[in-house]
């Protein structure tokens, strides 16, 4: 299919052509006609599939007709809710890109910055509002946001909003919107809570799912290193130095872990930076720009912060910590090997992560190459020095009553807990 077959406005089509796009991606091809018909939609698509344009293009196509002249009074006709600032900025840029030959005005709002400039923009009127949940509810409570004219409500990255604890805020936001709105929900995965949300708040939605999550892993060269947890930082440095890796995105489980990895790499004179939720918006943007410009060699990120990272031609992804949700692994490594380019995904698997790795292989239906030739393989198990001797063949002492036996059992449990 060609974009010209979608019967889009000439103004929208011109912007798409200028971006160099002629054929819609699968999620766009399936979603755009549904959205243009006014039907509610649930889309299952991950980062890198063209998901944002799949809703931005048809929404702009409708708003272009409604908004008309620049002199017309503006009301918020479309609300896009995203879980992070970075995602909100990206969505706003997409609306600006595809709507540049229209009079549609887009505003992005998020917390962590002074609200005054955002409030001033709202007072002048906007057509499309892209917002994070907290700032949206705050400004609505203060009376600066009116959603009574809303045509479209878009819930983007719904599973991430669930993970970040925004689900109750999302429900509050939905209740602030008119019942006759068109609702679009996009999510990389479909856990039960997201399906329940769709069943509750969407009206007879169409379901669109593209590229089963497991299949994207096939396009990326994958390797796994079995390494003890305490040796991971040494192995990371060893691989980066030995293989001369640059422009590396490293995934860790926690913010604290990200800072520790960066500290260790900097000690070895490797230019590394961390990006996570505890950093200010300006600091995160500075780090991201530095990595995009290849001034920073290694970017260490948590999953939540990484959802807002859109970097083309990313050659290397390293899973320093394995995710406990196998789909997350596929989303991580899907950031490399895009658009026909080669990509390498390296994973570190500690003994405590063995079941995570088994779940990942089960989902992807692939046996990933195991690298055994490295300096930090799993150490052999050492017997517990505190373990109790086996007394099964020895006679009990007369004074060993039930109470003592209970205490011994509790002591054994303590030893076991301390050992593991």
């Amino acid at each position: 299919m060609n974009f010209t077959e979608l019967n889009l406005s000439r103004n929208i089509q011109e912007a798409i052509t200028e971006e160099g796009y002629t054929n819609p991606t699968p999620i766009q091809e399936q979603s755009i006609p549904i959205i243009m018909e006014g039907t509610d939609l649930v889309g299952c698509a991950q980062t890198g599939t063209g998901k944002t344009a799949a809703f931005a293009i048809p929404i702009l196509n409708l708003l272009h007709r409604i908004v008309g002249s620049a002199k017309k009074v503006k009301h918020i006709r479309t609300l896009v809710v995203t879980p992070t600032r970075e995602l909100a900025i990206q969505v706003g840029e997409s609306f600006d890109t595809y709507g540049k030959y229209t009079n549609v005005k887009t505003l992005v709002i998020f917390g962590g910055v002074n609200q005054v400039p955002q409030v001033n923009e709202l007072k002048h009127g906007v057509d499309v509002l892209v917002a994070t949940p907290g700032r949206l509810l705050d400004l609505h409570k203060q009376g600066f946001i009116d959603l009574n004219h809303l045509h479209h409500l878009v819930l983007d990255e719904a599973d991430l909003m669930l993970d970040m604890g925004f689900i109750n805020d999302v429900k509050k936001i939905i209740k602030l919107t008119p019942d006759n709105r068109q609702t679009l929900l996009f999510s990389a995965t479909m856990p039960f809570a997201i399906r329940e949300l769709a069943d509750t708040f969407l009206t007879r939605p169409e379901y669109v799912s593209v590229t089963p999550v497991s299949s994207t892993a096939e396009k990326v060269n994958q390797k796994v290193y079995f390494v003890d947890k305490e040796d991971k930082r040494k192995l990371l440095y060893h691989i980066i130095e030995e293989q001369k890796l640059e422009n590396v995105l490293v995934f860790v489980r926690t913010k604290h872990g990200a800072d520790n990895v960066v500290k260790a790499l900097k000690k070895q004179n490797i230019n590394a930076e961390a990006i996570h939720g505890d950093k200010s918006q300006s600091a995160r943007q500075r780090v991201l720009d530095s990595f995009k410009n290849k001034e920073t060699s290694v970017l260490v990120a948590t999953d939540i912060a990484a959802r807002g990272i859109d970097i083309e031609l990313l050659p290397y992804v390293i899973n320093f910590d394995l995710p406990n949700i196998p789909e997350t692994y596929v989303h991580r490594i899907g950031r490399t090997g895009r658009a026909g380019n080669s990509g390498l995904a390296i994973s570190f698997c500690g003994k405590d992560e063995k079941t995570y790795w088994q779940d990942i292989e089960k989902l992807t239906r692939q046996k990933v190459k195991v690298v055994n030739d490295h300096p930090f393989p799993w150490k052999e198990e050492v017997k517990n020095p505190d373990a109790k001797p086996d007394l099964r063949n020895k006679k009990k002492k007369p004074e060993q009553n039930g109470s003592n036996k209970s205490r011994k059992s509790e002591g054994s449990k303590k030893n076991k807990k301390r050992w593991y």
Side-chain angles (χ1 to χ4, degrees):
M1 177 185 276
N2 192 294
F3 271 113
T4 55
E5 298 174 54
L6 292 171
N7 298 318
L8 298 169
S9 159
R10 183 173 55 82
N11 302 61
I12 308 295
Q13 183 64 59
E14 188 177 347
I16 293 170
T17 303
E18 277 192 14
E19 290 300 305
Y21 301 129
T22 54
N23 304 104
T25 65
I27 187 68
Q28 293 164 4
E29 184 177 336
Q30 294 182 56
S31 300
I32 290 174
I34 295 170
I35 296 171
M36 287 173 72
E37 288 172 2
T39 305
D40 284 6
L41 178 130
V42 176
C44 187
Q46 59 202 53
T47 304
T49 56
K51 167 180 57 69
T52 306
F55 61 79
I57 288 171
I59 287 173
L60 283 164
N61 195 66
L62 175 67
L63 292 183
H64 173 56
R65 294 200 304 269
I66 295 174
V67 171
S69 167
K71 296 178 181 178
K72 192 171 181 178
V73 176
K74 292 187 175 297
H75 300 286
I76 298 171
R77 313 276 184 180
T78 296
L79 171 63
V80 184
V81 184
T82 71
T84 69
R85 308 163 186 178
E86 290 82 6
L87 282 166
I89 291 168
Q90 277 184 37
V91 171
E93 287 172 350
S94 282
F95 273 91
D96 287 339
T97 297
Y98 299 116
K100 61 183 171 182
Y101 296 120
T102 71
N103 290 315
V104 175
K105 184 179 178 185
T106 301
L107 173 65
V108 179
I109 64 171
F110 46 76
V113 294
N114 192 322
Q115 74 172 40
V116 174
Q118 297 175 1
V119 168
N120 289 338
E121 289 290 327
L122 285 166
K123 286 177 179 177
H124 286 106
V126 299
D127 303 296
V128 177
L129 181 63
V130 185
T132 52
R135 178 55 58 96
L136 175 65
L137 287 171
D138 186 22
L139 294 186
H140 183 276
K141 188 176 181 180
Q142 294 179 54
F144 296 122
I145 291 174
D146 176 11
L147 298 176
N148 291 323
H149 301 271
L150 203 69
H151 285 262
H152 309 98
L153 170 63
V154 183
L155 304 176
D156 194 20
E157 303 281 5
D159 55 344
L160 184 54
M161 285 197 268
L162 176 68
D163 290 343
M164 293 177 69
F166 287 143
I167 203 72
N168 287 329
D169 283 349
V170 169
K171 289 177 179 177
K172 289 177 189 174
I173 291 165
I174 293 171
K175 288 176 181 176
L176 296 175
T177 62
D179 291 337
N180 62 348
R181 70 184 182 271
Q182 181 183 13
T183 309
L184 314 173
L185 185 152
F186 286 88
S187 187
T189 58
M190 280 291 153
F192 176 76
I194 298 302
R195 291 195 298 271
E196 187 179 45
L197 189 72
D199 290 342
T200 306
F201 294 106
L202 275 69
T203 305
R204 294 186 296 281
E206 293 271 356
Y207 282 78
V208 171
S209 181
V210 298
T211 311
V213 69
S214 61
S215 66
T216 56
E218 297 166 11
K219 303 171 186 174
V220 179
N221 182 19
Q222 302 169 68
K223 296 179 181 179
V224 61
Y225 291 71
F226 292 104
V227 53
D228 284 321
K229 187 176 181 179
E230 62 270 20
D231 291 329
K232 283 187 175 185
R233 277 179 274 184
K234 288 182 277 189
L235 177 60
L236 179 62
Y237 171 69
H238 170 78
I239 289 172
I240 291 171
E241 280 294 290
E242 184 185 58
Q243 301 182 28
K244 306 289 187 235
L245 304 187
E246 291 185 344
N247 215 212
V248 186
L249 178 58
V250 178
F251 282 99
V252 293
R253 193 172 294 124
T254 66
K255 304 167 192 174
H256 182 64
D259 290 333
N260 283 341
V261 169
V262 167
K263 195 181 296 182
L265 289 175
K266 283 185 172 178
K267 279 184 181 177
Q268 301 293 341
N269 297 316
I270 289 179
N271 194 353
E273 294 286 352
I275 184 168
H276 53 65
D278 280 355
K279 290 186 177 288
S280 69
Q281 172 62 19
S282 58
R284 287 156 80 173
Q285 198 59 50
R286 177 188 59 76
V287 168
L288 191 53
D289 289 342
S290 176
F291 185 64
K292 283 183 175 180
N293 297 331
K294 300 189 177 174
E295 296 161 4
T296 296
S297 298
V298 180
L299 180 63
V300 185
T302 56
D303 285 301
I304 288 173
R307 282 280 186 108
I309 298 173
D310 185 20
I311 301 164
E312 294 181 1
L313 305 178
L314 182 65
Y316 307 109
V317 166
I318 296 179
N319 293 301
F320 186 88
D321 295 319
L322 287 181
N324 60 347
I325 300 171
E327 287 87 356
T328 301
Y329 169 85
V330 180
H331 300 324
R332 287 179 178 185
I333 72 170
R335 294 181 173 278
T336 184
R338 288 187 185 176
N341 296 293
S342 61
L344 173 63
I346 294 170
S347 297
F348 295 171
C349 179
K351 291 191 186 79
D352 59 330
E353 298 171 311
K354 191 174 180 181
T355 55
Y356 297 166
W357 185 249
Q358 289 168 344
D359 290 342
I360 287 165
E361 289 194 314
K362 185 177 178 182
L363 174 73
T364 60
R365 299 187 292 277
Q366 289 178 285
K367 289 299 286 184
V368 175
K369 180 182 177 182
V370 178
V371 180
N372 293 311
D373 184 20
H374 68 88
F376 310 104
W378 279 356
K379 299 180 185 71
E380 289 186 13
E381 294 284 352
V382 181
K383 287 186 179 180
N384 187 348
D386 296 330
K388 289 180 61 182
D390 188 352
L391 302 176
R392 283 176 295 181
N393 296 325
K394 296 184 180 181
K395 291 182 179 179
K396 290 182 181 178
K397 293 179 182 179
E399 69 273 17
Q400 192 176 21
N401 57 30
S403 173
N404 285 337
K405 186 176 179 181
S406 174
R407 282 197 294 272
K408 281 178 176 286
S409 174
E410 289 173 12
S412 176
K413 286 178 184 175
K414 286 179 183 175
N415 286 338
K416 186 174 182 182
K417 186 176 181 183
R418 185 166 62 247
W419 172 242
Y420 289 103

